[in-house]
Amino acid sequence: MIAEEKKYYVSVILPLAVPKQYSYEVPAELVDQVKFGIRVEVPLQSKLYSALVVSIHHDTPVAYKARKIVSAIDKLAIITETQYTFWKWMAAYYCCSIGEVMNVALPSGLKLNSETKLILNPAFEYDANELSDDEYLLTEALGIQNELTINEAKDILNKKSIYPTIRSLLELEAITVVEELIERFKVKKEKFLSLTSYYLEDKSKLIEALELAKKSEKQTNIILAYSKLSRENPLVSKKDIYEIVGTESGAVKALIKKGIFDEQELEVSRLKKSDEDTIDIHPLSEEQVGAVAQIKEHYKTKNQVLLYGVTGSGKTRVYMELMQEVIDAGKQVLFLLPEIALTTQIVHRVTKIFGDEVGVFHSKINNLQRVELWKSCLNGKSILLGARSSMFLPFKDLGLIIIDEEHDPSYKQTDPAPRYNGRDAAIFLANLSGAKVLMGTATPSIETFANTLTDKYGVVEMTQRYGNTLLPAIEIVNLKEKYKTGRVKNHFSDTMIETIEYSLSLGEQILIFQNRRGYVPTVSCQICGWASHCMNCDVSLTKHMHFQEMRCHYCGYKTKVPKACGGCGNDQLIEKGIGTEKIEDILKELFPQANVSRLDYDTAKTQSQYEQILGDFDKQKIHILVGTQMITKGLDFDNIAVVGILNADLLLQFPDFRAHERAYQLITQVSGRAGRRAKQGKVVIQTFQPEHPVILDIVDNNYSRFFNREIKERKQFIYPPYFRLIQLILKHKNAKTVGEAAQIVALELRKTLGKRVIGPSEPGINRIRGQYIQLITVKMERKQESLVKIKQEVMRVRSVLRNMPGLKSVRFNMDVDPN
């Protein structure tokens, strides 16, 4: 009797929030194609998904009958073993499924399901003879029906798997997809022309070619265009020739037929090439030389180092020195920035030095570029620069991770899961990869600085600005006294006005910081107290004069500016507060001779808009720039003499245990934009609390005093870094339902976790996007065994709630280490 061959199964990750990995049977004809890290097409219920293979085995599933995989999508792995380990850690630490991690980690072009819609590229021109029968049939169907799902396309072609056909049409750029998912999977190709060997061996013979083409002006122009473009490379893109002579495919075909040109199709990159020559990096200052040496010394015994340098001390130059050494050793560098759109200058500086060795990965690049960058990282691209999501790239040999502005709250992902902290996750990734970490900031987070005091991290300080420029002088304006004596005009004290006037008279530039966009935050009635509120959120609507609308900054709801009170009909409404839009108008009135502009989410929604404003500011076309926290990050201009902060109290009074830390960081960072070259800058801070300890710490540039006071309070009230937190966020459209669910969760958790459980409570804004919110906070000891047990208990209670009648629809999100 012949022994039955063992069946092969694969365990896969689906880009879904499923708690366990599914196993699928591998058909005999696909056994040789299946390997770790490739995508396979698998059925789940009535849909098809692209799933990642993470193991191959002979274990037949017991709980369910394994279905068969439909096809293998890739030939080579698109993730690494290190990535998979990283994903597993992230899922465990941040209490989510590995499918949710995969969903965030993979570029959307590498994810796919059967409801993905295909559309015909209207610019696609094709010869029916150049397409296969299936390709032609599908393009014809799309031309008639406008769009098709993958399932509908399967019905038309009457085939079980049509991914090869879709892939080839994508490569031809004949079709695209609504979600732009598969698009990134394809390789871009272009057609190139080169002279045939007869003319290539002796270019003087081009005269003969011109003689052959003399009867056609178009053919002659093509030969001349080729001659011009081929000086550096004998292969010239047809597209480049067409840009000079116009689209003349018939003339090109005639020249090929005459034996003058050969045509070939080659793979090309979509990644943007640097259009500038690289420059030599300027020499290190004495302090920077010392900093580099200290960092290397720390790396002998530690993997993480904090570079704590005052604003303008030249931390970026230190980064570059270490980056060069790492790439010279054949390893890769990951350079993390808090928000890529807000750090244009740093991206430019790094690219200027390292040229095409730099790949920039973020949400603003198109889908095709993202997949190519993914593949180039897998192949060993030297420097990857990006926001927190770039840590999910498939590094071949990671040697260094730089985390610039490590304190920045933008490193924390809030939605969707995993709700990870980019700084903390990057440190784990570095340990996994055997890489070093360098964190840079002028205002360290409390947790990071505490780790330097326990000798977990090394610390290197840079106390001098580059070029020995002085730190800005800070002047505190007491708004209480100014209002009492009538020396405030439209929110600007006489001190602030005089400082701006003097600076403008010298041809200098000014930044005005107000962390609230719009015209005014509230429009209300002083008779009955009515205020214009969002219909979906428990917040007042912000007035935007430019759009003549009231807008919600949480859900995007818009409505017209009210002409009268919605309650009593009073038409004398009052406006409370002030936003960047109104400040811009006030400054134009106060300083009519100055060009005033604004940098916030309304004026800089796209990177190009942001770069346009910064470009104008750099060219000194803008004299006064008003902005939100966008202006606190990465701006390095020679001519900023004054920074004005209108109301520091807004930052200090926020109801959060990190409020003082955030206030210190924001005010110090925006202050650091002033006087970054030869002349000392000036900072004017308006406040009703001039004696507030945080304000005094900022004036004295005394981080140590600030840290010691904060850390003492954190210890007293059991907050990080002494304890860790999990915030449980329960949401439902019905306030009573979510309140009941929160009480049950808190009661159940207290049975095992006791006083570690705080709440439930309503947040400051208790309804967002139509969902009422309840918060429960769990405080966890830092011991590893305690962390694991507490997380397991919280996840158990979440499962209990999901199985309770009437409460299944309550959303239960877990945020580990909330900001």
Side-chain angles (χ1 to χ4, degrees):
M1 185 176 179
I2 300 172
E4 187 178 343
E5 285 189 21
K6 284 188 175 181
K7 290 183 179 179
Y8 281 89
Y9 296 91
V10 289
S11 295
V12 301
I13 310 173
L14 291 155
L16 303 169
V18 292
K20 293 182 179 180
Q21 294 173 5
Y22 282 101
S23 286
Y24 286 85
E25 184 181 338
V26 182
E29 67 273 15
L30 295 178
V31 167
D32 291 339
Q33 299 177 38
V34 171
K35 61 187 77 171
F36 170 86
I38 71 160
R39 291 171 301 158
V40 290
E41 183 182 0
V42 298
L44 183 66
Q45 293 185 336
S46 59
K47 280 187 177 184
L48 287 168
Y49 290 89
S50 58
L52 268 174
V53 175
V54 291
S55 71
I56 304 166
H57 54 84
H58 297 289
D59 302 327
T60 306
V62 177
Y64 57 91
K65 179 176 172 55
R67 300 172 74 178
K68 292 183 178 181
I69 65 172
V70 178
S71 68
I73 299 174
D74 303 304
K75 292 181 179 178
L76 299 173
I78 62 165
I79 67 164
T80 66
E81 293 276 5
T82 301
Q83 271 181 298
Y84 178 48
T85 305
F86 181 50
W87 292 5
K88 287 191 291 183
W89 170 82
M90 187 169 275
Y93 186 83
Y94 290 104
C95 300
C96 63
S97 70
I98 196 165
E100 288 172 300
V101 178
M102 172 188 169
N103 203 34
V104 169
L106 277 187
S108 58
L110 299 177
K111 294 174 293 188
L112 162 75
N113 68 59
S114 55
E115 291 185 355
T116 299
K117 291 182 180 177
L118 310 173
I119 58 174
L120 189 66
N121 178 2
F124 177 62
E125 296 179 4
Y126 63 94
D127 182 341
N129 296 323
E130 295 177 355
L131 300 179
S132 70
D133 291 344
D134 286 346
E135 290 167 352
Y136 178 76
L137 189 58
L138 196 52
T139 52
E140 286 292 295
L142 284 167
I144 296 167
Q145 298 188 39
N146 297 324
E147 64 178 40
L148 295 168
T149 66
I150 289 180
N151 277 342
E152 289 168 340
K154 284 182 177 181
D155 291 339
I156 289 169
L157 298 183
N158 194 26
K159 288 194 170 182
K160 191 176 181 182
S161 177
I162 62 165
Y163 287 178
T165 304
I166 292 171
R167 186 165 57 231
S168 63
L169 286 173
L170 285 168
E171 288 172 357
L172 291 170
E173 299 193 359
I175 63 170
T176 184
V177 289
V178 173
E179 297 94 338
E180 297 181 320
L181 298 180
I182 315 175
E183 235 180 313
R184 300 181 186 172
F185 179 67
K186 63 179 179 177
V187 168
K188 183 178 180 181
K189 292 186 177 181
E190 279 185 18
K191 290 183 178 178
F192 288 80
L193 295 181
S194 64
L195 292 171
T196 55
S197 57
Y198 176 78
Y199 297 101
L200 197 60
E201 289 167 4
D202 184 0
K203 286 201 174 182
S204 64
K205 292 178 180 176
L206 271 179
I207 297 170
E208 297 177 25
L210 288 168
E211 185 67 25
L212 285 172
K214 67 180 181 180
K215 292 182 180 179
S216 169
E217 183 182 352
K218 293 173 182 177
Q219 291 179 26
T220 301
N221 288 339
I222 288 169
I223 294 171
L224 292 172
Y226 172 86
S227 182
K228 178 182 177 182
L229 294 170
S230 63
R231 287 169 187 165
E232 292 183 3
N233 191 331
L235 280 172
V236 176
S237 169
K238 281 174 68 174
K239 186 172 70 174
D240 293 342
I241 291 175
Y242 289 162
E243 284 180 5
I244 295 176
V245 302
T247 304
E248 283 299 339
S249 57
V252 169
K253 286 179 180 178
L255 290 169
I256 293 170
K257 195 172 182 179
K258 289 176 180 178
I260 297 171
F261 286 127
D262 284 330
E263 181 183 86
Q264 55 185 307
E265 192 173 52
L266 299 172
E267 183 179 330
V268 294
S269 174
R270 292 185 182 85
L271 301 182
K272 188 178 178 182
K273 297 278 187 183
S274 174
D275 55 5
E276 298 181 63
D277 293 332
T278 57
I279 59 171
D280 291 331
I281 198 164
H282 62 75
L284 293 165
S285 68
E286 189 176 333
E287 187 178 41
Q288 288 169 338
V289 169
V292 170
Q294 289 179 61
I295 291 167
K296 290 180 181 177
E297 188 62 31
H298 280 302
Y299 281 157
K300 291 177 182 178
T301 55
K302 298 179 180 67
N303 292 325
Q304 298 89 28
V305 175
L306 170 67
L307 180 60
Y308 170 29
V310 296
T311 54
S313 58
K315 293 185 290 293
T316 306
R317 177 64 184 87
V318 174
Y319 299 159
M320 290 181 180
E321 190 71 16
L322 294 163
M323 289 162 66
Q324 187 65 62
E325 292 185 12
V326 171
I327 64 175
D328 285 347
K331 292 180 176 287
Q332 292 170 292
V333 176
L334 171 60
F335 192 143
L336 288 176
L337 298 164
E339 292 179 70
I340 197 73
L342 307 186
T343 44
T344 302
Q345 285 186 309
I346 292 179
V347 172
H348 176 73
R349 286 168 67 188
V350 173
T351 306
K352 191 77 176 167
I353 301 299
F354 296 103
D356 291 336
E357 290 182 277
V358 181
V360 182
F361 187 86
H362 56 85
S363 59
K364 303 295 182 186
I365 64 174
N366 69 47
N367 293 331
L368 301 172
Q369 290 171 325
R370 289 179 118 198
V371 162
E372 289 204 8
L373 198 51
W374 182 276
K375 291 177 180 177
S376 70
C377 182
L378 196 56
N379 291 328
K381 194 169 188 73
S382 299
I383 299 170
L384 282 305
L385 190 151
R388 61 178 183 261
S389 61
S390 57
M391 74 177 68
F392 292 115
L393 287 165
F395 296 96
K396 185 179 181 181
D397 191 1
L398 188 59
L400 175 67
I401 299 179
I402 293 169
I403 307 171
D404 192 36
E405 307 296 357
E406 66 80 25
H407 67 277
D408 199 293
S410 300
Y411 280 120
K412 175 69 175 178
Q413 163 123 337
T414 51
D415 276 310
R419 295 171 180 84
Y420 65 96
N421 185 300
R423 177 197 62 210
D424 300 343
I427 289 170
F428 183 85
L429 175 63
N431 288 335
L432 206 59
S433 308
K436 302 294 185 183
V437 176
L438 181 62
M439 295 167 277
T441 180
T443 53
S445 65
I446 296 294
E447 289 90 339
T448 296
F449 201 73
N451 280 330
T452 68
L453 298 180
T454 58
D455 209 34
K456 183 177 179 181
Y457 299 167
V459 61
V460 175
E461 292 192 41
M462 296 173 68
T463 58
Q464 300 295 319
R465 280 187 154 188
Y466 186 79
N468 294 319
T469 306
L470 294 173
L471 285 167
I474 299 177
E475 183 172 359
I476 302 299
V477 175
N478 187 339
L479 284 177
K480 278 186 184 177
E481 293 297 322
K482 294 293 182 182
Y483 274 106
K484 278 182 184 177
T485 53
R487 288 183 290 167
V488 178
K489 185 177 182 181
N490 279 335
H491 302 276
F492 284 81
S493 65
D494 57 347
T495 305
M496 182 86 80
I497 291 170
E498 289 165 9
T499 304
I500 294 172
E501 278 179 343
Y502 179 69
S503 186
L504 287 173
S505 71
L506 298 177
E508 296 168 335
Q509 291 171 289
I510 297 100
L511 288 180
I512 301 295
F513 173 64
Q514 172 77 341
N515 206 24
R516 185 171 278 173
R517 64 188 172 96
Y519 195 74
V520 290
T522 309
V523 175
S524 62
C525 175
Q526 63 184 57
I527 294 176
C528 69
W530 172 89
S532 180
H533 270 77
C534 176
M535 64 183 295
N536 305 312
C537 310
D538 187 25
V539 292
S540 59
L541 294 173
T542 299
K543 181 179 179 180
H544 287 255
M545 282 290 285
H546 177 75
F547 304 107
Q548 280 298 302
E549 289 177 337
M550 305 296 292
R551 292 187 167 190
C552 175
H553 291 172
Y554 287 86
C555 72
Y557 172 76
K558 304 172 188 176
T559 188
K560 291 181 180 178
V561 176
K563 294 180 179 178
C565 172
C568 67
N570 166 41
D571 61 0
Q572 301 297 309
L573 300 178
I574 58 171
E575 297 177 346
K576 295 179 181 178
I578 184 169
T580 50
E581 193 179 4
K582 187 171 184 180
I583 293 167
E584 181 185 15
D585 284 353
I586 292 168
L587 286 166
K588 286 176 179 177
E589 290 178 14
L590 292 173
F591 309 103
Q593 78 281 15
N595 187 356
V596 183
S597 192
R598 176 164 47 97
L599 184 64
D600 57 26
Y601 181 72
D602 295 321
T603 61
K605 285 186 178 179
T606 67
Q607 192 167 357
S608 60
Q609 289 174 325
Y610 176 80
E611 289 174 356
Q612 179 66 50
I613 295 169
L614 286 193
D616 288 345
F617 192 72
D618 188 30
K619 294 169 187 171
Q620 300 183 28
K621 293 179 182 179
I622 297 169
H623 305 121
I624 305 175
L625 184 62
V626 183
T628 57
Q629 62 181 349
M630 277 186 167
I631 66 172
T632 69
K633 302 172 185 179
L635 300 193
D636 184 14
F637 294 109
D638 297 353
N639 200 42
I640 300 173
V642 174
V643 169
I645 298 168
L646 287 192
N647 191 347
D649 306 300
L650 286 174
L651 301 171
L652 293 165
Q653 294 168 352
F654 199 76
D656 185 87
F657 77 93
R658 286 195 175 94
H660 289 176
E661 180 183 5
R662 297 277 189 258
Y664 182 93
Q665 290 165 345
L666 268 176
I667 296 172
T668 302
Q669 289 286 341
V670 74
S671 299
R673 304 306 114 196
R676 293 172 74 92
R677 294 299 180 265
K679 184 180 175 182
Q680 184 181 26
K682 184 174 183 180
V683 180
V684 181
I685 301 175
Q686 296 185 165
T687 175
F688 288 96
Q689 305 174 77
E691 299 302 319
H692 194 288
V694 175
I695 297 292
L696 297 178
D697 293 336
I698 292 167
V699 171
D700 296 338
N701 191 32
N702 195 332
Y703 178 81
S704 180
R705 186 172 67 202
F706 164 77
F707 174 83
N708 289 332
R709 186 180 60 254
E710 281 292 303
I711 203 75
K712 185 178 178 182
E713 289 181 5
R714 300 277 184 97
K715 189 172 186 178
Q716 181 182 352
F717 295 105
I718 318 176
Y719 277 114
Y722 296 101
F723 268 62
R724 283 197 165 131
L725 305 179
I726 298 183
Q727 190 163 73
L728 312 180
I729 306 127
L730 284 79
K731 298 180 181 180
H732 197 270
K733 62 184 179 181
N734 184 285
K736 185 179 178 182
T737 301
V738 74
E740 181 186 345
Q743 290 293 341
I744 290 170
V745 169
L747 186 65
E748 192 68 23
L749 286 173
R750 283 197 180 95
K751 290 177 183 177
T752 51
L753 303 182
K755 293 181 180 180
R756 296 184 185 89
V757 182
I758 313 296
S761 63
E762 291 183 354
I765 302 170
N766 77 329
R767 183 172 66 105
I768 296 177
R769 295 185 180 92
Q771 299 278 311
Y772 289 91
I773 304 168
Q774 289 279 333
L775 301 178
I776 299 169
T777 302
V778 179
K779 295 185 175 182
M780 307 181 290
E781 296 90 339
R782 296 191 68 87
K783 294 177 182 178
Q784 184 61 30
E785 58 272 21
S786 297
L787 288 172
V788 172
K789 287 178 182 178
I790 290 170
K791 287 177 184 178
Q792 287 173 345
E793 178 61 14
V794 172
M795 293 177 82
R796 183 192 69 81
V797 172
R798 181 172 66 175
S799 298
V800 168
L801 184 72
R802 285 176 174 173
N803 291 317
M804 295 186 74
L807 300 179
K808 291 180 180 180
S809 57
V810 174
R811 290 181 60 188
F812 188 136
N813 294 333
M814 297 168 63
D815 189 1
V816 179
D817 301 334
N819 259 1

